[in-house]
Amino acid sequence: MPRYEFRCRACGTSFEVSRPMAQSSAPASCPQGHADTVKLLSAVAVGGTTTATGSAAPAAGGGGGGGCCGGGCCG
């Protein structure tokens, strides 16, 4: 189930809520009971790493072969 991060405007507390995607835009009360909250935009990292210049580094074991994504069948 996806987790959504919120911040309370009243007390500044940041908190997470697990809920179905169908309820992603529903309001959430903070743990202190305040209703004035805002959903935060969370950055998600999925696999791989970045280099010092900020460009994507190849995944482990990667480097030129296997599958269309690796350039193996696109000739």
Side-chain angles (χ1 to χ4, degrees):
M1 189 171 308
R3 296 173 60 118
Y4 299 95
E5 189 174 8
F6 290 83
R7 180 175 305 136
C8 178
R9 291 181 179 164
C11 65
T13 301
S14 292
F15 61 98
E16 292 182 346
V17 176
S18 295
R19 58 171 58 158
M21 289 179 71
Q23 298 175 5
S24 66
S25 60
S29 294
C30 87
Q32 308 302 320
H34 303 120
D36 188 12
T37 61
V38 62
K39 187 167 80 167
L40 303 176
L41 180 61
S42 299
V44 178
V46 179
T49 59
T50 56
T51 64
T53 61
S55 60
C68 290
C69 294
C73 66
C74 302

